[in-house]
Amino acid sequence: MSIAALRRTALFHELPVTAISRLASLGRTRRFRAGRILMKQGEAAKVMFVIVKGAVRVERSHRDLLGPVLLSVLGRGEVVGERGLLDGEPRSAAVTAEVNVTAVELTAAQLAQAMAESADVATALLHIMSRRIRDTDELLTQALAGRWAAPAAGPG
């Protein structure tokens, strides 16, 4: 995977070129056709993805709901699956390719290496996770007020 593709992400753009180069060599390029599942809700978290091209839908199901709730649509430069790598818990949502997707797959060890090499990676992860918590809070507020609407498409 190219260094430029990883540098375009909020998570890795502050890393030194040598660290990004190492991640690019360790990360595995994956391609997913539209409709393909990248992650299933409840499965063990083993990898995360940096979306290089395309977009994914993040949906959460619950036994008390009639169908899955769309949490987000993520596109180029976004990451998905990072929370499971950080907390070791099963996937909290399903992720499906909305269109054809090219992504870089990183393992927990590779993410830990990036965080050890640069505090900026850990800071960027905190910002990403904080934004997602706020987005989820807003969805919950809208749902409780009866105004729920699907989130707008992300970058892509």
Side-chain angles (χ1 to χ4, degrees):
M1 181 46 57
S2 76
I3 294 169
L6 289 177
R7 188 172 278 297
R8 280 192 297 264
T9 68
L11 187 57
F12 298 120
H13 79 275
E14 295 294 329
L15 277 178
V17 173
T18 54
I20 291 177
S21 178
R22 188 163 39 259
L23 277 171
S25 69
L26 293 174
R28 186 173 122 186
T29 300
R30 301 282 309 268
R31 289 180 177 76
F32 302 93
R33 292 184 188 260
R36 178 128 183 255
I37 297 171
L38 285 72
M39 300 173 187
K40 293 180 181 177
Q41 184 175 325
E43 75 182 359
K46 296 179 182 174
V47 299
M48 65 175 273
F49 294 101
V50 178
I51 302 167
V52 176
K53 183 180 178 185
V56 298
R57 295 172 58 85
V58 181
E59 298 176 310
R60 183 174 176 115
S61 297
H62 189 275
R63 67 181 177 276
D64 293 335
L65 298 174
L66 297 176
V69 173
L70 177 64
L71 300 177
S72 185
V73 176
L74 303 173
R76 190 181 96 175
E78 299 268 15
V79 297
V80 66
E82 74 290 340
R83 188 168 65 187
L85 294 187
L86 293 172
D87 67 13
E89 295 293 320
R91 298 285 184 207
S92 61
V95 178
T96 306
E98 177 93 336
V99 296
N100 291 344
V101 170
T102 301
V104 176
E105 178 184 89
L106 294 171
T107 66
Q110 291 162 341
L111 180 60
Q113 177 183 346
M115 289 190 302
E117 290 175 0
S118 174
D120 291 329
V121 172
T123 299
L125 266 175
L126 286 172
H127 287 172
I128 289 166
M129 293 179 76
S130 177
R131 186 188 78 227
R132 291 186 182 164
I133 290 169
R134 287 180 186 276
D135 289 348
T136 301
D137 286 349
E138 182 60 27
L139 278 175
L140 180 58
T141 300
Q142 289 177 12
L144 291 173
R147 301 185 318 254
W148 183 81

